[in-house]
């Protein structure tokens, strides 16, 4: 009789701990100011020993950066309408909608406040999405701005408005950003 394959643990304990700690961070940030959230408090909420959290993440900044990175990865579909202007308008509108979520803002503010890597955690996937839109247009023979120019022209104003103002993000305002970027 052939030997049976070794039993696998889909996800296993490590994945469960990671998920419960991430969930604890998100819950705590939605309930109280980021300054009051600590690794021991997160561990208690997650149902794990504080040593587990310290060993896996090392610092609150590292944990917040990972939670932000995880939160901002793959949650927005990159549109492909065949028209770069339409794609950028749809994408920027989806980003604006995501940034309007109070839980998203709490994670962003905490990650930004925790250290220099926090901002990158909040934008890395957005840059990859922009690159996909722009590269697709280039492959069709179109001219596009660089990812840096597109990021400065779209993400900069979107993130600024979400984080630092109470101004609304309207569809017309988003179209204006795209129009300005592509002109």
């Amino acid at each position: 009789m052939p030997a049976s394959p070794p039993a696998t643990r889909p996800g296993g304990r490590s994945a469960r701990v990671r998920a419960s700690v991430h969930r604890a961070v998100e819950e705590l940030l939605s309930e109280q100011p980021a300054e009051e959230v600590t690794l021991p408090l997160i561990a208690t909420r997650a149902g794990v020993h504080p040593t587990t959290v310290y060993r896996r993440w090392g610092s609150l900044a590292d944990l917040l950066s990972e939670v932000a990175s995880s939160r901002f990865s793959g949650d927005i579909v990159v549109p492909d309408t065949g028209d770069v202007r339409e794609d950028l308008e749809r994408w920027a509108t989806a980003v604006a909608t995501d940034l309007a979520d109070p839980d998203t803002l709490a994670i962003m503010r905490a990650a930004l406040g925790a250290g220099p890597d926090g901002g990158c955690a909040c934008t890395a996937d957005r840059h990859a999405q922009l690159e996909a839109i722009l590269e697709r247009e280039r492959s069709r023979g179109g001219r596009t701005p660089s990812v840096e120019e597109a990021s400065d022209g779209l993400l900069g104003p979107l993130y600024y408005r979400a984080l630092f103002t109470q101004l609304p993000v309207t569809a017309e305002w988003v179209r204006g950003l795209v129009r300005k970027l592509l002109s």
Side-chain angles (χ1 to χ4, degrees):
M1 183 177 243
S4 60
T8 59
R9 293 176 22 194
R13 183 178 188 285
S14 182
R16 286 192 305 275
V17 167
R18 181 179 181 274
S20 66
V21 169
H22 279 222
R23 188 172 39 259
V25 168
E26 292 174 5
E27 289 171 359
L28 287 166
L29 288 174
S30 72
E31 297 169 6
Q32 57 196 323
E35 307 81 53
E36 295 177 14
V37 176
T38 63
L39 287 179
L41 187 61
I42 293 166
T44 299
R45 175 66 65 96
V48 300
H49 195 278
T51 305
T52 300
V53 177
Y54 283 105
R55 187 176 55 248
R56 290 178 187 235
W57 288 280
S59 71
L60 182 59
D62 290 342
L63 175 56
L64 290 173
S65 182
E66 182 180 302
V67 170
S69 181
S70 175
R71 169 62 185 83
F72 294 104
S73 296
D75 58 332
I76 292 182
V77 176
V78 177
D80 185 6
T81 64
D83 175 35
V84 71
R85 181 180 304 274
E86 179 75 16
D87 290 348
L88 288 170
E89 286 175 2
R90 287 183 182 191
W91 176 82
T93 299
V95 170
T97 300
D98 189 40
L99 294 175
D101 180 339
D103 293 339
T104 298
L105 286 176
I107 291 169
M108 284 179 53
R109 287 184 173 122
L112 290 170
D117 293 335
C120 294
C122 296
T123 60
D125 202 52
R126 303 289 193 247
H127 285 115
Q129 294 164 352
L130 267 174
E131 178 63 39
I133 293 169
L134 299 174
E135 182 55 41
R136 193 171 41 237
E137 178 63 14
R138 282 187 219 98
S139 72
R140 292 190 290 247
R143 297 191 60 208
T144 66
S146 69
V147 173
E148 184 177 290
E149 291 167 328
S151 179
D152 289 347
L154 298 176
L155 288 179
L158 287 167
Y159 276 58
Y160 179 83
R161 192 165 273 206
L163 287 166
F164 301 111
T165 76
Q166 297 295 318
L167 297 171
V169 175
T170 65
E172 184 54 40
W173 184 75
V174 171
R175 283 192 295 274
L177 292 176
V178 173
R179 193 170 38 253
K180 187 175 184 180
L181 174 68
L182 296 176
S183 64

